Amino acid sequence: MWLTTDAQSTIVVIVAALLISLSTAILAPFLPAFAWALALSVVAYPHYERLARRLGRRGVAAGLVVSAFTACAMGPVIWVVEKLAVAAVDGLRQLLPLLERREWESRLGEHPRLVEFLSWLEQNFRLHGAAADLVAQARQAVPALAAWSAWAFLQAMLILFISFFLLRDGPRLLRLAERLVPLTSAETRLLVRRMSDTIHATLFGMIAVALLQGTLGGLMFWWLGLPAPLIWGAVMTLLATVPYLGTFVIWVPVAGFFAAQGRWGDALLLVVWGSFVIGLSDNFLYPMMVGKRLHYHTLVVFFFLLGGIVVFGTSGVVLGPTVLAITDSFIRAARRRLRPRHQGAPLGSPRSLALPR
C-alpha cells in the first residue's frame, strides 16, 4: 500500500474519532432514557441479585424486577392524574359561577390599592392582549404537546428496555468498561463505586426532599382549612420528584382560587409559603444532603445539579452529580500519575473535589 504505517495509523485514528462523534450524535437523544435506566438499575441491582440467585435465571429475574418497577411507577402516576383531573373539574365548577356573576369585581372594589395596581399593570403590560396571545400560543402548542407526550411514552419504554439489559448483563458490561476506560482495574472499581454512591445519594436525596415538600404543603393546606390535606400533600410529594413541575402545580391554582373568592390574606400566605419555604427547600436542602453523603461541598453539588438540568434536561438530576463523581475520579487518577511519590497511597487519596473526612 502506498501509505506508510504511521500515515495509516493516523487515518484510522481520525476515522475512529469521526465515527465516535457520529455515534454520539445518533445516541444523544436517548441519553435521558439511559441515565434514568442506569439509576434504576443501580438502585435495584441488589434486589435483582438476590432474586437471580433464588431463581437461577438472570433473564427472568431482570424481567420480574422491571415489571415490579413498572407497576410501582404507573400506580402513583395514574393516581396523581386522576386527582388533578377531579380537582380541575371541581375548581372550574366553583369558579365559573363567580365569573358569571362577576363577584370578583365587587370584591376587587373593596381593595382600592389593588385595583390601582391592576390598572397600572394593564396600562403598562397590556394584560388583556398578553392573555389573548397566551391563549393563541396554547392552541398552537396542542400538536407539540401531543408529540411530546408520545416521545415521553417512548422514553419510558426505553428506560424499561435498557434497565432489563443493564440488570441482566451488568457484570459483562462492567468487564467491557474496564477494557475501554483508560484506568487500572482498581481505579475502575473505585469509579464504579463512586458512581453508584452518587446515584444512590441523588435518588434518595430527591425522595427525602420531595417528602419534606409534600409535608410542608399538606400542613399549609390543613392550616388553611382545605379539604383532604393528606391526599394533596401526597400529590405534591409525587409532583416534587418531577423536574420542571413540582408542588406549585397544586398551590398556585389554589392561591388563585382564594384570590377569586376575595381571601387575599390566605392567597398571599400560600404564595409566600410555596415560593420561599417549599420552593427554596429544594434548592438548598437537596444539594446539602447529596454533598454531605458524598463528601462534596454543597455549592459544588448545587452547580453541578443546576447545570446538569440546564444541559441534559430532567435527566440532569442524575447526570449532573454523576459527571461530578466521574470528574473527581479522573482528577484523582491524573494526580497520581503526575505525582509518582503518591503511587503507594490508597486510591481515595489525595482528594480532589471531595471534602476532607
Side-chain angles (χ1 to χ4, degrees), residues 3-13:
L3 292 175
T4 63
T5 303
D6 291 340
Q8 293 178 27
S9 301
T10 303
I11 292 175
V12 169
V13 170

mmCIF file of all heavy atoms in Angstrom, residues 3-13:
data_model
loop_
_atom_site.group_PDB
_atom_site.id
_atom_site.type_symbol
_atom_site.label_atom_id
_atom_site.label_comp_id
_atom_site.label_asym_id
_atom_site.label_seq_id
_atom_site.Cartn_x
_atom_site.Cartn_y
_atom_site.Cartn_z
ATOM 1 N N LEU A 3 0.584 4.143 1.371
ATOM 2 C CA LEU A 3 0.692 4.901 2.616
ATOM 3 C C LEU A 3 1.632 4.200 3.578
ATOM 4 O O LEU A 3 1.665 2.970 3.657
ATOM 5 C CB LEU A 3 -0.679 5.057 3.263
ATOM 6 C CG LEU A 3 -1.691 5.944 2.530
ATOM 7 C CD1 LEU A 3 -3.043 5.903 3.228
ATOM 8 C CD2 LEU A 3 -1.176 7.382 2.450
ATOM 9 N N THR A 4 2.362 5.007 4.338
ATOM 10 C CA THR A 4 3.234 4.431 5.359
ATOM 11 C C THR A 4 2.398 3.947 6.540
ATOM 12 O O THR A 4 1.210 4.277 6.672
ATOM 13 C CB THR A 4 4.239 5.475 5.850
ATOM 14 O OG1 THR A 4 3.523 6.548 6.480
ATOM 15 C CG2 THR A 4 5.053 6.021 4.676
ATOM 16 N N THR A 5 3.057 3.183 7.401
ATOM 17 C CA THR A 5 2.346 2.653 8.569
ATOM 18 C C THR A 5 1.855 3.770 9.485
ATOM 19 O O THR A 5 0.731 3.737 9.990
ATOM 20 C CB THR A 5 3.266 1.708 9.358
ATOM 21 O OG1 THR A 5 3.724 0.667 8.486
ATOM 22 C CG2 THR A 5 2.522 1.093 10.532
ATOM 23 N N ASP A 6 2.691 4.789 9.675
ATOM 24 C CA ASP A 6 2.289 5.909 10.535
ATOM 25 C C ASP A 6 1.111 6.668 9.931
ATOM 26 O O ASP A 6 0.179 7.080 10.650
ATOM 27 C CB ASP A 6 3.464 6.869 10.733
ATOM 28 C CG ASP A 6 4.572 6.260 11.582
ATOM 29 O OD1 ASP A 6 4.271 5.289 12.313
ATOM 30 O OD2 ASP A 6 5.717 6.764 11.512
ATOM 31 N N ALA A 7 1.121 6.845 8.614
ATOM 32 C CA ALA A 7 0.006 7.540 7.963
ATOM 33 C C ALA A 7 -1.279 6.736 8.084
ATOM 34 O O ALA A 7 -2.366 7.299 8.321
ATOM 35 C CB ALA A 7 0.335 7.801 6.492
ATOM 36 N N GLN A 8 -1.177 5.424 7.924
ATOM 37 C CA GLN A 8 -2.353 4.579 8.080
ATOM 38 C C GLN A 8 -2.913 4.671 9.497
ATOM 39 O O GLN A 8 -4.127 4.770 9.696
ATOM 40 C CB GLN A 8 -2.000 3.133 7.744
ATOM 41 C CG GLN A 8 -1.663 2.890 6.289
ATOM 42 C CD GLN A 8 -1.287 1.450 6.030
ATOM 43 O OE1 GLN A 8 -1.720 0.550 6.752
ATOM 44 N NE2 GLN A 8 -0.459 1.221 5.024
ATOM 45 N N SER A 9 -2.027 4.666 10.469
ATOM 46 C CA SER A 9 -2.468 4.766 11.860
ATOM 47 C C SER A 9 -3.172 6.098 12.112
ATOM 48 O O SER A 9 -4.201 6.160 12.794
ATOM 49 C CB SER A 9 -1.274 4.606 12.803
ATOM 50 O OG SER A 9 -0.636 3.363 12.608
ATOM 51 N N THR A 10 -2.616 7.174 11.537
ATOM 52 C CA THR A 10 -3.228 8.498 11.708
ATOM 53 C C THR A 10 -4.627 8.528 11.102
ATOM 54 O O THR A 10 -5.576 9.058 11.697
ATOM 55 C CB THR A 10 -2.345 9.582 11.076
ATOM 56 O OG1 THR A 10 -1.048 9.542 11.655
ATOM 57 C CG2 THR A 10 -2.960 10.960 11.262
ATOM 58 N N ILE A 11 -4.757 7.953 9.909
ATOM 59 C CA ILE A 11 -6.065 7.932 9.246
ATOM 60 C C ILE A 11 -7.070 7.119 10.055
ATOM 61 O O ILE A 11 -8.234 7.508 10.219
ATOM 62 C CB ILE A 11 -5.925 7.372 7.819
ATOM 63 C CG1 ILE A 11 -5.141 8.354 6.954
ATOM 64 C CG2 ILE A 11 -7.295 7.104 7.212
ATOM 65 C CD1 ILE A 11 -4.851 7.846 5.561
ATOM 66 N N VAL A 12 -6.618 5.978 10.563
ATOM 67 C CA VAL A 12 -7.511 5.141 11.366
ATOM 68 C C VAL A 12 -7.989 5.898 12.601
ATOM 69 O O VAL A 12 -9.180 5.860 12.962
ATOM 70 C CB VAL A 12 -6.804 3.830 11.761
ATOM 71 C CG1 VAL A 12 -7.626 3.085 12.812
ATOM 72 C CG2 VAL A 12 -6.604 2.944 10.542
ATOM 73 N N VAL A 13 -7.076 6.614 13.255
ATOM 74 C CA VAL A 13 -7.454 7.381 14.454
ATOM 75 C C VAL A 13 -8.457 8.478 14.097
ATOM 76 O O VAL A 13 -9.453 8.691 14.799
ATOM 77 C CB VAL A 13 -6.200 7.980 15.116
ATOM 78 C CG1 VAL A 13 -6.594 8.963 16.207
ATOM 79 C CG2 VAL A 13 -5.328 6.883 15.690
#
